[in-house]
Amino acid sequence: NEMLAELERATGQLKRFAIEVENTGELLQTSSDSVRVASGHVADSVQRIADDADEQKEQLQEISREIDDLAAAYETLAEHGDDDVQEHGERLDEIAARISEIATLSEETLAESGIVAGAAEEQAAELTEISDRARDLTQYARPLRDALDEFETETDTDLYADD
């Protein structure tokens, strides 16, 4: 009788453990799926930002080249002694320098966004693996619980036996 009571207690504990594993696996799978989807959205958003930054960088570089050409033309005119032209040429040089700085910042932003996009994609891949493992865990726990449900237990014992 004592052996049967111990077996019944162990079976009850295994049932509750299997249910707990199954529930935890389902919760983990749901959570990791949600985070994986969110990470995918972040990666997509960062990629769009990177694409926009790249386009802006190209536009800034084109504007910078045009301003450089204008500045060169003003310098040629300034050589003939027109102070207003020289002043406008200097102003164009300042604008070209600022645009060059903005283009450099755009390039740095583009590089950083690439790093962020890569990290988000890596996280999404890891979460996919976690989700797959949680799904496997749930699939293994369910048959164990179903098999243990075949045993009738009358005692309601804690999950872990006291020593």
Side-chain angles (χ1 to χ4, degrees), residues 89-142:
E90 290 170 0
R91 182 77 176 124
L92 281 175
D93 285 341
E94 291 174 14
I95 292 170
R98 287 186 182 156
I99 288 176
S100 179
E101 289 173 12
I102 292 170
T104 300
L105 288 173
S106 180
E107 288 177 21
E108 291 171 2
T109 301
L110 182 62
E112 289 295 322
S113 66
I115 292 169
V116 171
E121 289 173 0
E122 187 176 306
Q123 183 182 24
E126 289 174 5
L127 288 169
T128 297
E129 185 177 327
I130 290 170
S131 180
D132 291 345
R133 287 184 181 185
R135 188 176 298 111
D136 291 345
L137 181 64
T138 302
Q139 288 175 350
Y140 291 127
R142 191 170 293 130

Side-chain angles (χ1 to χ4, degrees), residues 3-20:
M3 185 188 289
L4 284 176
E6 184 65 32
L7 180 60
E8 187 175 275
R9 185 171 41 247
T11 302
Q13 289 174 347
L14 281 173
K15 280 184 193 179
R16 283 185 294 288
F17 180 72
I19 291 169
E20 188 175 314

Side-chain angles (χ1 to χ4, degrees), residues 5-162:
E6 184 65 32
L7 180 60
E8 187 175 275
R9 185 171 41 247
T11 302
Q13 289 174 347
L14 281 173
K15 280 184 193 179
R16 283 185 294 288
F17 180 72
I19 291 169
E20 188 175 314
V21 167
E22 182 179 2
N23 291 341
T24 302
E26 288 171 353
L27 180 63
L28 179 61
Q29 181 181 348
T30 301
S31 296
S32 63
D33 286 345
S34 296
V35 173
R36 182 177 41 82
V37 168
S39 290
H41 291 310
V42 167
D44 291 343
S45 295
V46 169
Q47 186 59 51
R48 282 193 302 276
I49 290 168
D51 292 345
D52 289 346
D54 190 42
E55 184 178 320
Q56 288 175 358
K57 178 189 77 163
E58 290 173 13
Q59 290 172 352
L60 287 171
Q61 288 172 337
E62 179 62 30
I63 291 169
S64 180
R65 283 190 292 273
E66 289 175 13
I67 289 176
D68 286 342
D69 292 345
L70 283 173
Y74 271 108
E75 285 177 18
T76 301
L77 290 173
E79 289 173 1
H80 298 333
D82 189 348
D83 290 338
D84 285 339
V85 172
Q86 185 175 359
E87 189 177 306
H88 288 296
E90 290 170 0
R91 182 77 176 124
L92 281 175
D93 285 341
E94 291 174 14
I95 292 170
R98 287 186 182 156
I99 288 176
S100 179
E101 289 173 12
I102 292 170
T104 300
L105 288 173
S106 180
E107 288 177 21
E108 291 171 2
T109 301
L110 182 62
E112 289 295 322
S113 66
I115 292 169
V116 171
E121 289 173 0
E122 187 176 306
Q123 183 182 24
E126 289 174 5
L127 288 169
T128 297
E129 185 177 327
I130 290 170
S131 180
D132 291 345
R133 287 184 181 185
R135 188 176 298 111
D136 291 345
L137 181 64
T138 302
Q139 288 175 350
Y140 291 127
R142 191 170 293 130
L144 176 61
R145 183 203 51 174
D146 292 343
L148 291 170
D149 279 344
E150 297 295 319
F151 293 97
E152 292 294 326
T153 59
E154 294 179 15
T155 61
D156 187 23
T157 58
D158 292 332
L159 184 58
Y160 303 104
D162 296 329

